[in-house]
Amino acid sequence: MMKSLSFAFAFMAATSSAFAPTQHNAVNNHALYMSETEPVVTEAPVDAAASFEVEPTIVASGSSAAAVATMSQSLPFLARPAALTGELAGDVGFDPLGFAKSEADLMNYREAEVKHARLAMLAAAGWPLSEVFDKKIAAVMGMEPILGSDDRVPSLLNGGLGKISPAYWVGCIGVAAMIDIFGQLRMKSD
């Protein structure tokens, strides 16, 4: 147990640098500033010891009229999609299949991505918690635990889905549909 926790911690520490900003690209940033001023051209300070050339960078102002690259930053061999204007955080023009045809489509896909990410986080927490607390909850409710003989949760991978009532799955889908419908109605009213 301790070895696996040590390995997991070492792996997380090693991969966390992927989320840290890089220093070599600090001068050539494409940050967006919410202001009414015109785009500002900045140049890197000249360092005698540095042997590289830095091109001026256009920092976009709040308007979409600011210069946006015609090629995608994420896939430089593809043209930047029209709906991806660089106004959203993390927008580097990645839509290789062209799903977002308009700004409304882009916002719908963005909302769906956030919902799916939240659901995945709940599932990642719920799976191990269900293995830990199944027997205790079943004992409190006077039911038989549904864990297998090897203390695994019934799933497609582990087997044992026959122990789960189809009414449960209908109820799960119904609750998920009601949450989604409520969210859509609330979003339309705002």
Side-chain angles (χ1 to χ4, degrees):
M1 176 73 175
M2 191 64 176
K3 286 181 183 180
S4 61
L5 286 175
S6 299
F7 176 73
F9 181 73
F11 180 73
M12 287 174 29
T15 58
S16 66
S17 64
F19 300 104
T22 57
Q23 295 300 320
H24 71 281
N25 213 8
V27 175
N28 192 13
N29 69 1
H30 298 282
L32 296 176
Y33 295 100
M34 299 298 291
S35 67
E36 296 297 327
T37 61
E38 291 297 317
V40 179
V41 177
T42 58
E43 293 187 23
V46 179
D47 187 6
S51 62
F52 63 91
E53 291 183 24
V54 179
E55 297 179 10
T57 303
I58 296 179
V59 179
S61 66
S63 68
S64 61
V68 176
T70 58
M71 300 302 283
S72 170
Q73 186 178 355
S74 62
L75 299 171
F77 53 87
L78 290 178
R80 183 178 197 82
L84 300 175
T85 61
E87 292 178 356
L88 297 174
D91 181 6
V92 290
F94 185 79
D95 188 12
L97 300 178
F99 286 128
K101 305 256 187 267
S102 66
E103 188 174 341
D105 286 345
L106 180 64
M107 290 301 127
N108 285 337
Y109 286 125
R110 181 178 178 216
E111 183 72 23
E113 183 177 5
V114 170
K115 285 181 183 179
H116 290 130
R118 289 175 181 162
L119 183 62
M121 287 185 274
L122 287 173
W127 187 293
L129 288 175
S130 65
E131 289 181 348
V132 171
F133 293 114
D134 179 63
K135 290 180 181 177
K136 295 174 185 172
I137 293 172
V140 168
M141 298 181 80
M143 301 172 75
E144 192 173 322
I146 60 169
L147 291 180
S149 60
D150 53 356
D151 284 340
R152 289 187 167 180
V153 174
S155 70
L156 288 175
L157 300 174
N158 298 337
L161 280 179
K163 295 179 183 179
I164 309 297
S165 169
Y168 171 78
W169 297 117
V170 170
C172 285
I173 291 172
V175 168
M178 292 304 295
I179 290 171
D180 194 45
I181 290 169
F182 176 72
Q184 293 291 328
L185 292 174
R186 195 177 96 203
M187 193 169 67
K188 286 182 182 179
S189 68
D190 288 342

